[in-house]
């Protein structure tokens, strides 16, 4: 079973911030939160990951709650090209038993 | 540019055929993965490999096998293709490090079994 819960779909206006929530209430202490996105007809693309601190890169920001049971991916100024399925994943770091388990994700539609 | 290459973008096979899906990565990654993606079900992990000749079952390994004879190549094998294996198949690779780094995906192979 998937370890994360995401809304199936969200809309956002172009130029506005898109805030994508994810619940991961059973996350364990050594598990990271990762976000990927999949634009239509392409393979998934890594966005960002974090353990317990908030993270920011050129694509997005990741806010993780203090109890680590939920997180939010923020696209600060959404564009039409950000329309995609966004996947929130939890998993262990590296090692021989590492694997990524994807859920169904959130379809984000950015509207003009 | 890092690259994960899947041998075919589209493939049509007959029921009962043995099917090989090939994946090659040029990044010297230890980990490689095979997923299938179906409408409404998201991405589901079939098998993964963390080293040459090593493999582990994912969530839906039934009806599939894999081969990793060289570090850069990870093959998915359908021993006897069936119509319920019609799907998009995605290969990925990643480093093994103390802190997770990103996985890179191929463009996918859309397999149709008739």
């Amino acid at each position: 079973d998937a370890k994360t819960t995401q809304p199936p779909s969200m809309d956002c206006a172009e130029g506005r911030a898109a805030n994508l929530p994810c619940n991961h209430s059973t996350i364990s202490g050594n598990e990271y939160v990762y976000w990927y996105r999949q634009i239509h007809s392409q393979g998934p693309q890594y966005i960002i990951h974090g353990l317990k601190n908030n993270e920011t890169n050129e694509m997005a920001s990741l806010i993780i709650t203090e109890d680590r049971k939920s997180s939010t991916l923020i696209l600060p100024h959404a564009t039409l090209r950000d329309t995609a399925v966004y996947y929130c994943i939890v998993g262990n770091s590296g090692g021989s038993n590492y694997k990524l388990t994807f859920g169904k994700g959130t379809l984000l539609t950015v509207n003009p | 540019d890092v690259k994960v290459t899947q041998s075919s973008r589209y493939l049509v096979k007959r029921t009962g055929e043995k099917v090989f899906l090939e994946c090659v990565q040029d990044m010297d990654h230890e980990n490689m993965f095979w997923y299938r993606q179906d409408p409404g079900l998201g991405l589901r992990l079939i098998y993964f490999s963390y080293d040459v000749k090593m493999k582990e079952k994912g969530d839906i390994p039934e009806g599939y096998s894999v081969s990793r004879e060289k570090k850069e190549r990870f093959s998915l094998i359908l021993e006897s293709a069936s119509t319920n294996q019609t799907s998009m198949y995605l290969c990925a690779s990643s480093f093994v490090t103390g802190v997770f780094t990103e996985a890179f995906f191929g463009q996918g192979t859309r397999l149709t079994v008739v």
Side-chain angles (χ1 to χ4, degrees), chain A residues 83-98:
Chain A
T83 292
V85 177
Y86 287 78
Y87 296 97
C88 169
I89 304 157
V90 297
N92 292 311
S93 61
S96 63
N97 293 316
Y98 166 75

Side-chain angles (χ1 to χ4, degrees), chain B:
Chain B
D1 241 5
V2 296
K3 192 173 280 189
V4 177
T5 304
Q6 295 183 229
S7 53
S8 304
R9 194 71 196 267
Y10 299 95
L11 210 51
V12 180
K13 295 292 182 180
R14 294 194 179 277
T15 300
E17 273 194 80
K18 190 169 186 176
V19 181
F20 292 86
L21 302 183
E22 306 287 347
C23 176
V24 177
Q25 49 97 1
D26 63 1
M27 296 164 282
D28 202 34
H29 286 168
E30 290 86 355
N31 286 338
M32 295 189 75
F33 309 83
W34 275 106
Y35 293 85
R36 65 177 282 177
Q37 185 170 31
D38 302 287
L41 297 177
L43 277 84
R44 293 179 292 167
L45 181 64
I46 305 171
Y47 267 98
F48 69 105
S49 168
Y50 52 89
D51 201 352
V52 175
K53 297 190 187 293
M54 305 305 290
K55 61 184 179 184
E56 289 204 19
K57 294 179 180 179
D59 300 313
I60 51 162
E62 297 77 21
Y64 303 94
S65 62
V66 290
S67 172
R68 185 126 181 244
E69 296 296 318
K70 293 184 178 181
K71 191 175 186 180
E72 68 270 18
R73 187 179 295 270
F74 192 35
S75 303
L76 180 69
I77 303 157
L78 288 66
E79 295 290 342
S80 177
S82 64
T83 55
N84 63 13
Q85 292 178 311
T86 291
S87 186
M88 170 69 84
Y89 290 87
L90 288 156
C91 174
S93 72
S94 72
F95 285 110
V96 174
T97 63
V99 176
F100 167 72
T101 56
E102 63 189 283
F104 295 86
F105 281 80
Q107 287 292 87
T109 296
R110 186 165 293 282
L111 173 67
T112 302
V113 182
V114 297

Side-chain angles (χ1 to χ4, degrees), chain A residues 2 4-9 38 85-88 101-107, chain B residues 37-44:
Chain A
T4 63
T5 303
Q6 298 177 255
S9 64
Q38 187 175 22
V85 177
Y86 287 78
Y87 296 97
C88 169
T101 301
F102 287 74
K104 298 180 184 179
T106 296
L107 172 60
Chain B
Q37 185 170 31
D38 302 287
L41 297 177
L43 277 84
R44 293 179 292 167

